[in-house]
């Protein structure tokens, strides 16, 4: 009984989150595909990733990472120059 209850709760969770609809749509698309792909898993990954909207927070974090990389490179270059100056003295 407990396992059935947990299973039902999980099914309801998936349904409320829209996951069941999303998976169903992707699996139907795979089923209706005239030429089946070599990898069903890659098909699922591609279609699930393509149908999910890009989170604006993720894009902001990507930009922040790019900025931090640039700053890091600048600091490393400055560090290199300062080390050279220290060696001279």
């Amino acid at each position: 009984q407990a396992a059935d209850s947990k299973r039902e709760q999980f099914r309801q969770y998936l349904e409320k989150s829209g996951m069941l609809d999303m998976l169903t749509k992707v699996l139907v698309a795979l089923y209706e595909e005239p030429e089946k792909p070599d990898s069903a898993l890659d098909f699922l990954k591609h279609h699930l990733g393509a149908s999910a909207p890009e989170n604006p927070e993720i894009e902001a974090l990507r930009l922040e990472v790019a900025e931090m990389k640039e700053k890091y490179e600048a600091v490393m270059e400055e560090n290199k120059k300062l080390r050279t100056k220290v060696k001279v003295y």
Side-chain angles (χ1 to χ4, degrees), residues 27-86:
L27 290 172
V28 167
L30 177 59
Y31 175 77
E32 293 176 345
E33 189 72 25
E35 293 183 27
K36 302 295 184 240
D38 293 333
S39 171
L41 183 58
D42 286 344
F43 182 90
L44 289 174
K45 286 179 183 177
H46 173 75
H47 282 78
L48 286 174
S51 60
E54 182 69 21
N55 185 340
E57 189 175 311
I58 292 173
E59 185 56 33
L61 290 172
R62 283 189 183 130
L63 289 172
E64 187 177 347
V65 166
E67 289 174 16
M68 292 296 134
K69 284 182 179 178
E70 287 179 21
K71 288 180 182 178
Y72 171 79
E73 292 299 326
V75 167
M76 290 303 289
E77 186 62 34
E78 182 182 8
N79 185 323
K80 186 177 177 182
K81 289 177 182 175
L82 291 173
R83 284 176 183 258
T84 303
K85 284 184 179 180
V86 167

Side-chain angles (χ1 to χ4, degrees), residues 13-35:
Y13 162 75
L14 291 176
E15 191 172 311
K16 285 180 186 176
S17 68
M19 188 63 157
L20 282 180
D21 286 339
M22 180 73 71
L23 285 172
T24 301
K25 287 177 185 176
V26 173
L27 290 172
V28 167
L30 177 59
Y31 175 77
E32 293 176 345
E33 189 72 25
E35 293 183 27

Side-chain angles (χ1 to χ4, degrees), residues 1-7:
Q1 279 291 343
D4 287 342
S5 175
K6 276 183 121 175
R7 189 176 296 136

